[in-house]
């Protein structure tokens, strides 16, 4: 028997909206989850049984909350990356654009349901985007930047940024996110490159940052065919970041790899700091109401002294 999904209390939707947030989880289960994305909903599922349970749960939750989505998209979660497909519109007006804009603490982000497997915003990073805004960095390096949500937040507090991602299309969407928030590109650079290969070159040029975002994929392959596996290459990434870190630099360590929980992240990054002779502390943030224990990325802030 499948353990049922955990749904947020209907009243939490009002709490999110009061905070200026229209993108958040509604439910999390062992074989799928449900996200509210503005006026729409995305159901991600590993199998048909989970999909049916989540659809039924959404109908019940909508009745209890009084909020009904305009459209419902579904997305299959395959075991292999090469089996990923774009979301499917299950219910709602097929003539509406497949792009939309959501808000998170008043910040605007563009989503595109037709762009591929991911719509454009990782909701579990909301708490870390909030923390970055509180840190108010002056110069930030955003590696594996995807659609540059951390860049937007840093830009809103006046930081200069460098966003790096293998995908030029993702970086272009990042530029659009800046524009959505009225942020000029004047202080923001975008480089389509392999972050692991670029970081040593930045160090040799004398580049330094007081905030660095490390949120790599579990697996990837660059344009030269080099395989990236976070479990094997995590220390390489942290070592490279420490070479670029100013005193008082905040480094976000984040991964979806189930073998790297926060305890492992701290242990392995402490070894890097020891090798690089950097003193560090760690900041763990409180769990989010819409991400029960065991759901979302493992994240930890490494605070360089």
């Amino acid at each position: 028997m499948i353990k049922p999904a955990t749904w947020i209390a209907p009243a939490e939707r009002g709490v999110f909206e009061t905070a200026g947030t229209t993108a958040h989880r509604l439910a999390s289960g062992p074989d799928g989850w449900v996200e509210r994305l503005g006026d729409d909903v995305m159901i991600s599922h590993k199998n048909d049984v989970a999909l049916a349970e989540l659809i039924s749960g959404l109908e019940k939750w909508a009745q209890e909350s009084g909020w009904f989505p305009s459209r419902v998209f579904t997305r299959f979660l395959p075991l292999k990356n090469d089996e990923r497909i774009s979301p499917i519109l299950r219910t709602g007006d097929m003539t509406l654009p497949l792009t939309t804009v959501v808000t998170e603490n008043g910040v605007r982000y563009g989503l595109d349901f037709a762009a591929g497997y991911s719509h454009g915003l990782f909701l579990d990073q909301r708490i870390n985007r909030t923390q970055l805004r509180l840190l108010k960095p002056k110069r930030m390096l955003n590696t594996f930047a995807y659609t540059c949500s951390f860049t937007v937040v840093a830009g809103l507090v006046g930081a200069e940024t460098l966003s790096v991602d293998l995908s030029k299309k993702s970086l272009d969407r990042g530029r659009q996110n800046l524009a959505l928030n009225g942020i000029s590109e004047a202080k923001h650079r975008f480089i389509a490159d392999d972050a692991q290969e670029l970081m040593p070159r930045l160090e040799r040029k004398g580049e330094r940052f007081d905030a660095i975002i490390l949120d790599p994929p579990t697996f990837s392959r660059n344009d030269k065919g080099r395989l990236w596996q976070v479990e094997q290459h995590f220390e390489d990434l942290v070592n490279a970041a420490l070479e670029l870190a100013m005193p008082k630099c905040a480094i976000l360590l984040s991964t979806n790899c189930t073998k790297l929980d926060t305890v492992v992240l701290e242990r392995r990054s402490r070894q890097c700091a020891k090798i690089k002779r950097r003193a560090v502390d760690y900041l763990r943030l409180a769990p989010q109401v819409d991400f029960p224990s065991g759901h979302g990325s493992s994240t930890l802030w490494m605070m360089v002294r």
Side-chain angles (χ1 to χ4, degrees):
M1 181 177 177
I2 295 178
K3 181 181 177 181
T6 301
W7 291 79
I8 66 169
E12 288 294 343
R13 179 179 64 86
V15 176
F16 278 118
E17 290 187 351
T18 298
T21 296
T22 63
H24 54 83
R25 279 270 181 104
L26 295 180
S28 300
D31 290 318
W33 57 84
V34 182
E35 298 171 327
R36 179 206 174 172
L37 302 168
D39 294 330
D40 304 314
V41 158
M42 174 83 78
I43 300 176
S44 301
H45 62 96
K46 295 181 181 179
N47 52 61
D48 290 341
V49 174
L51 175 60
E53 189 259 332
L54 292 170
I55 289 173
S56 176
L58 175 62
E59 292 172 352
K60 180 181 178 182
W61 188 90
Q63 290 289 342
E64 292 176 353
S65 68
W67 181 83
F68 298 86
S70 295
R71 297 177 293 182
V72 175
F73 293 86
T74 60
R75 180 181 68 159
F76 176 61
L77 302 170
L79 292 175
K80 297 180 180 179
N81 287 351
D82 57 6
E83 296 176 357
R84 291 178 172 183
I85 59 174
S86 297
I88 298 169
L89 177 62
R90 186 176 183 89
T91 63
D93 189 345
M94 295 182 65
T95 67
L96 291 174
L98 292 176
T99 56
T100 190
V101 175
V102 300
T103 59
E104 180 184 279
N105 296 322
V107 183
R108 292 161 58 85
Y109 300 101
L111 305 187
D112 188 345
F113 296 113
Y117 181 73
S118 298
H119 50 63
L121 185 66
F122 297 127
L123 305 189
D124 57 346
Q125 295 292 351
R126 181 179 67 248
I127 194 168
N128 289 313
R129 287 186 284 265
T130 299
Q131 180 62 31
L132 180 67
R133 201 166 183 176
L134 294 173
L135 290 170
K136 297 181 179 179
K138 293 180 173 59
R139 299 193 82 241
M140 186 194 74
L141 172 63
N142 187 7
T143 67
F144 309 94
Y146 188 36
T147 59
C148 306
S149 62
F150 283 100
T151 302
V152 172
V153 171
L156 287 170
V157 296
E160 297 179 19
T161 70
L162 172 56
S163 300
V164 184
D165 197 276
L166 282 171
S167 170
K168 186 178 182 298
K169 288 183 178 180
S170 292
L171 295 177
D172 287 341
R173 292 178 68 186
R175 290 186 173 93
Q176 293 168 13
N177 280 330
L178 286 180
L180 275 175
N181 292 278
I183 303 171
S184 167
E185 288 187 31
K187 296 169 65 176
H188 306 283
R189 293 177 289 160
F190 301 85
I191 299 179
D193 203 342
D194 183 317
Q196 184 71 65
E197 294 182 359
L198 177 66
M199 290 167 76
R201 300 202 300 269
L202 294 176
E203 191 276 329
R204 290 193 293 271
K205 291 180 181 179
E207 297 251 20
R208 297 295 182 271
F209 304 90
D210 62 348
I212 300 174
I213 306 300
L214 304 180
D215 184 21
T218 303
F219 300 97
S220 72
R221 194 178 296 275
N222 68 11
D223 55 0
K224 300 174 185 176
R226 185 174 71 88
L227 178 65
W228 161 270
Q229 292 181 290
V230 68
E231 191 178 358
Q232 295 181 14
H233 299 109
F234 174 74
E235 282 89 349
D236 295 338
L237 192 63
V238 175
N239 284 333
L242 286 169
E243 293 288 352
L244 295 168
M246 295 178 180
K248 307 296 183 183
C249 179
I251 303 176
L252 175 63
L253 311 177
S254 178
T255 179
N256 283 311
C257 179
T258 56
K259 296 180 180 179
L260 298 181
D261 61 15
T262 55
V263 173
V264 177
L265 287 176
E266 178 175 344
R267 184 179 72 246
R268 291 174 66 170
S269 62
R270 277 193 185 278
Q271 289 297 318
C272 296
K274 183 177 180 180
I275 291 170
K276 295 297 180 180
R277 298 183 179 180
R278 303 296 298 266
V280 297
D281 298 305
Y282 290 88
L283 174 64
R284 286 179 169 81
L285 303 181
Q288 303 179 98
V289 66
D290 55 334
F291 281 88
S293 176
H295 293 271
S297 300
S298 296
T299 65
L300 189 66
W301 284 92
M302 184 183 191
M303 313 299 287
V304 180
R305 295 181 197 167

